[in-house]
DNA sequence: AACCAAAAACTTACGGTGTATGTTTATCTT
DNA sequence: AAGATAAACATACACCGTAAGTTTTTGGTT
């Protein structure tokens, strides 16, 4: 268009890792990880499949990048809140993110080589517990308990064959009708008297279980503070203020509090 | 061999659904679901890949069958225990089963069309809560909280790049060394002062979180029994003894207690 | 403005996947 | 012993990730 002597320049829109990952997430959100193929991704980016490999080492690397991008979407625990409400907010955000990207629950590799967003997120969560008065060991307990619950809930929510309350009622009615008569009475009761109740929505369970866990952690913390009953091999200080990491060089935990 | 006039009879060992599913589980246990291909499964069964389709509708059906077989391995909650120890035992068993078959955590379809072992298991768990004094609604809370935790824990455990304490220490040391210096101080602290502690084993976290959830449920139950503060849309009786399911025909929950 | 290396696109090709379809063989009933 | 049925085998297809080779575009230097 601009140059009349040559054929149309056809301004090829250039690819980069971010655009690739973003497009891949759109595909996976819509059709799950199994819908994400390099050829399909190439189509969406107006590019041949192989061109993607200029920006991504392989499909695993791509999925890893997607997982890290997802972690970047989670609201970090706020420094101005107490540990409980900070963790509560980020947990709610975490669950929303996992509900938005259901495929993310099945990505295994986030533990093997986590990306920067993942590392930052974990560091902040751990820091929130430490600054809230948790010992290193109790921080590990808390971190494990909370995140196990969130991941598991997201997985269960994802595996349900319905989303909206209307779908739920319709699906539950069908499943109830298909249930062998009298063989699973408690399951039938729960379905009939709870799931089929107007306004039932499985997602509402999330906060119930989350608060169960958080209250339990609070109790654990208070017990710890009243009497200093630390298990034997915990060498860490309870308060992190002046604590130093046993690294090559000594590092104050507060060093990167302002990200 | 036996008949000299005809060629060797070659007694083809016949296939059936159980043998197919069992062999598939062996493959998936060893190499994950991605190692499970129809051709590989056929090899293991001394059969062509396509012959498997005489016993299984398609690969999804196969995986579904595998998942149901896994549920059959979980120890059912005992009727002779109180709800808390019954659920505790079956939860520990559940986790062991998921650790033995890590691929099972990612099987989505178990919610969509559950097999008989899955249904029986769920019915028993729900029944245990109901007989323990949980209302229908609180049973839903308890079921969701406990299983979310178990699933999530199994997923986290699976995604760790190490299994044994030795592997853990070695891996943690490497990851710690690779961590950008000072950028993730809390993560580094947790790794150095907890994960690298002799005898650390992530699996030990399971009971901590499980008891946190179970204690929380007990508190929830006691609160409920002291004052009858039921949320508005719960129509179920708190005690299930003489309760009947709102089905076409009335069914006593005790009807199938002896499986 | 002309050149040229480097980056990023495209093209082709290969082995592996699930499974539709058609054929052959084994087994069961009579 | 024979015919029917079930379950095996064989072939083929479309799609997958990606290795290897080729062409085009881009950006920096003259």
């Amino acid at each position: 268009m601009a140059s009349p002597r040559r054929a149309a320049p056809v301004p090829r829109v250039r690819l980069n890792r971010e655009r690739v990952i973003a497009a891949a997430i759109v595909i996976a959100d819509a059709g799950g990880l199994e819908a994400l193929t390099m050829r399909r991704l190439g189509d969406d980016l107006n590019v041949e499949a192989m061109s993607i490999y200029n920006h991504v080492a392989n499909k695993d690397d791509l999925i890893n990048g997607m997982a890290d991008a997802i972690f970047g979407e989670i609201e970090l625990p706020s420094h101005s809140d107490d540990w409980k409400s900070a963790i509560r907010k980020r947990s709610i955000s975490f669950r929303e993110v996992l509900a938005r990207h259901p495929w993310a629950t099945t990505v295994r590799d986030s533990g093997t080589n986590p990306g920067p967003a993942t590392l930052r997120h974990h560091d902040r969560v751990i820091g929130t517990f430490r600054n809230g008065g948790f010992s290193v060991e109790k921080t590990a307990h808390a971190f494990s308990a909370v995140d196990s619950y969130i991941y598991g809930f997201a997985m269960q929510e994802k595996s349900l064959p319905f989303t909206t309350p209307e779908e739920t009622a319709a699906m539950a009615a069908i499943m109830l009708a298909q249930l062998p008569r009298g063989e699973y009475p408690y399951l039938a009761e729960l379905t009939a008297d709870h799931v089929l109740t107007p306004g039932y929505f499985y997602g509402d369970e999330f906060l119930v279980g989350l608060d169960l866990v958080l209250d339990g952690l609070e109790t654990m913390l208070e017990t710890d503070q009243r009497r200093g009953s630390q298990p034997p091999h915990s060498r860490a200080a309870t308060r992190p203020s002046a604590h130093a990491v046993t690294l090559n060089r000594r590092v104050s935990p507060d060093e990167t509090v302002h990200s």
Side-chain angles (χ1 to χ4, degrees), chain A:
Chain A
M1 290 298 215
S3 143
R5 62 184 66 182
R6 281 199 285 171
V10 193
R12 237 187 231 169
V13 187
R14 265 165 134 237
L15 234 48
N16 58 51
R17 191 170 220 263
E18 277 188 18
R19 277 191 60 215
V20 168
I21 288 175
I25 288 176
V26 170
I27 295 176
D29 285 354
L33 267 192
E34 86 233 348
L36 176 64
T37 72
M38 300 306 273
R39 287 169 176 85
R40 165 72 200 281
L41 181 56
D43 278 357
D44 281 19
L45 292 164
N46 289 315
V47 129
E48 295 302 311
M50 288 312 291
S51 301
I52 298 167
Y53 287 88
N54 286 311
H55 308 277
V56 134
N58 49 43
K59 199 182 180 182
D60 267 5
D61 179 40
L62 168 63
I63 292 176
N64 237 358
M66 293 163 67
D68 199 52
I70 288 329
F71 259 98
E73 291 185 21
I74 307 169
E75 182 186 327
L76 289 172
S78 160
H79 287 307
S80 51
D81 283 335
D82 63 302
W83 72 266
K84 204 177 179 186
S85 37
I87 294 295
R88 193 171 192 269
K89 283 182 199 163
R90 90 95 206 194
S91 298
I92 292 170
S93 169
F94 196 174
R95 181 219 157 199
E96 282 169 0
V97 168
L98 288 180
R100 207 154 52 226
H101 312 290
W103 49 269
T105 54
T106 67
V107 176
R108 71 236 138 270
D109 216 23
S110 57
T112 330
N113 46 322
T118 307
L119 289 172
R120 196 219 316 265
H121 181 87
H122 286 163
D123 191 68
R124 284 286 202 98
V125 169
I126 294 168
T128 301
F129 284 121
R130 292 291 284 130
N131 288 318
F134 285 74
S135 71
V136 170
E137 183 164 34
K138 300 221 159 169
T139 296
H141 295 336
F143 191 38
S144 170
V146 171
D147 274 25
S148 289
Y149 174 71
I150 297 170
Y151 269 115
F153 188 89
M155 268 199 43
Q156 304 228 116
E157 196 169 24
K158 176 188 64 144
S159 82
L160 293 177
F162 39 71
T163 317
T164 66
E166 299 78 37
E167 276 181 343
T168 303
M171 207 63 173
I174 293 171
M175 291 177 73
L176 187 60
Q178 285 178 344
L179 225 53
R181 192 62 52 83
E183 206 161 339
Y184 309 107
Y186 294 105
L187 196 52
E189 181 199 41
L190 190 74
T191 307
D193 292 0
H194 187 64
V195 178
L196 281 178
T197 293
Y200 167 86
F201 174 54
Y202 179 68
D204 294 340
E205 287 290 351
F206 179 70
L207 285 182
V208 179
L210 178 64
D211 286 331
L212 208 75
V213 173
L214 292 180
D215 288 348
L217 292 176
E218 194 167 38
T219 305
M220 184 179 88
L221 179 62
E222 284 165 0
T223 305
D224 184 38
Q225 283 172 336
R226 215 167 295 145
R227 40 190 171 99
S229 66
Q230 291 271 113
H233 66 277
S234 172
R235 315 191 224 95
T238 300
R239 307 241 77 233
S241 47
H243 182 78
V245 174
T246 60
L247 272 175
N248 299 359
R249 121 184 136 80
R250 295 173 77 80
V251 164
S252 157
D254 291 15
E255 208 168 60
T256 55
V257 153
H258 321 286
S259 85

